[in-house]
Amino acid sequence: MATLSFSPAGSAGSSAQNLVVTVVVAVVFGALGALGSWAGWLGLVLLVLAACGLVGLAVLGARATRVTMAALAATTGGEIALPAAPPPAAWGAGGG
């Protein structure tokens, strides 16, 4: 169950957040004059390459649910019904 909840949310969500931070950092450094030398331009090129990698991770994360469900169906011999929302944590129920 942890694989189902982690794969799509973990990869895609983190990549999207990191991409936003990457763009904000690029804009701030650009506005502060970081592109005035070759080192700033090199940094921008590396930042664009990193952003491309983050987009790739976001795409893979979005596909993870389908791939995971297909693997589970192939392993168990049929489709697995999942609840719409995860069950509440048992450790916080105050039972003892």
Side-chain angles (χ1 to χ4, degrees):
M1 188 62 135
T3 302
L4 292 177
S5 61
F6 175 76
S7 293
S11 297
S14 295
S15 295
Q17 291 171 352
N18 286 336
L19 186 59
V20 169
V21 170
T22 299
V23 170
V24 168
V25 166
V27 168
V28 168
F29 281 136
L32 293 175
L35 301 177
S37 69
W38 67 269
W41 284 100
L42 177 62
L44 181 63
V45 168
L46 294 175
L47 196 122
V48 167
L49 291 174
C52 290
L54 288 172
V55 168
L57 287 175
V59 169
L60 289 175
R63 294 180 188 165
T65 301
R66 182 179 48 83
V67 172
T68 303
M69 293 304 290
L72 284 172
T75 302
T76 60
E79 191 171 319
I80 297 175
L82 296 175
W91 46 265

